[in-house]
Each structure stands twice: as structure tokens, then as C-alpha cells.
Amino acid sequence: LRRLYLSEPHVLIAETKHGIGLVYRMINNIEQALNFLMDALEQYQAILPDDHSAVANILHDIADCFFQKGHTDRALHNYQLALQMKEKH
């Protein structure tokens, strides 16, 4: 519905995709979660400052997904990026 009124990228579309990704993660559909979270991240990065808290939060959520999949190197990388952003604020 938001696509009818908002053009991409838009923060509300990114927030909605972020939320959908979190739901997929909660039901252990990690691939779908990552698809939505990565799409939301791209949109956030297109419209928000690089160190915005929303970018840090989604990087943390992406790291959680990689951790659940057993991709610890990718998880650690994303956790470190999120931490660096959070420490700036």
C-alpha cells in the first residue's frame, strides 16, 4: 500500500521492509529475512547519513541473521560495523 503513495527509496518503505525482515527472522525464514533486510539497508543508505541509528540497527539485525545461519565471519563484520556507528552517538 505504501508503494502507491511513496516513491522508492523512502524511509517509510525501508522501515516496513525492515519490519517484514524481522518477522521472517522470528519464524526462522532466514533467507527471506535477509532479502528484506538487505533491501531495506540499501534504501536506508540511499537516503540517510551513513552513521544513522537506523543503519546501525539494521546492520545488527543482518548480523543476527548471518549468525543464525552459521556465517560467523559475516555476522561479526556486521556487528562490528553496527557497533562503530552506535559508538559515534
Side-chain angles (χ1 to χ4, degrees):
L1 215 150
R2 287 185 175 174
R3 283 181 191 242
L4 296 175
Y5 302 105
L6 304 172
S7 62
E8 287 192 56
H10 193 284
V11 71
L12 294 177
I13 293 172
E15 288 173 351
T16 301
K17 289 181 177 185
H18 189 172
I20 293 169
L22 293 177
V23 171
Y24 276 119
R25 190 181 83 205
M26 284 188 241
I27 62 171
N28 284 326
N29 188 337
I30 304 305
E31 288 303 318
Q32 276 297 91
L34 280 170
N35 288 336
F36 277 94
L37 292 172
M38 297 298 270
D39 192 25
L41 175 63
E42 287 179 23
Q43 289 193 23
Y44 281 140
Q45 289 175 324
I47 54 180
L48 298 174
D50 289 339
D51 63 348
H52 193 278
S53 63
V55 176
N57 289 337
I58 200 162
L59 285 169
H60 188 111
D61 293 330
I62 289 168
D64 287 343
C65 287
F66 283 131
F67 185 78
Q68 281 183 260
K69 287 182 63 148
H71 298 180
T72 53
D73 289 343
R74 293 182 80 179
L76 183 59
H77 174 73
N78 282 281
Y79 283 133
Q80 289 171 333
L81 289 174
L83 179 61
Q84 289 170 4
M85 290 178 189
K86 291 175 183 182
E87 288 178 333
K88 289 182 182 179
H89 297 282

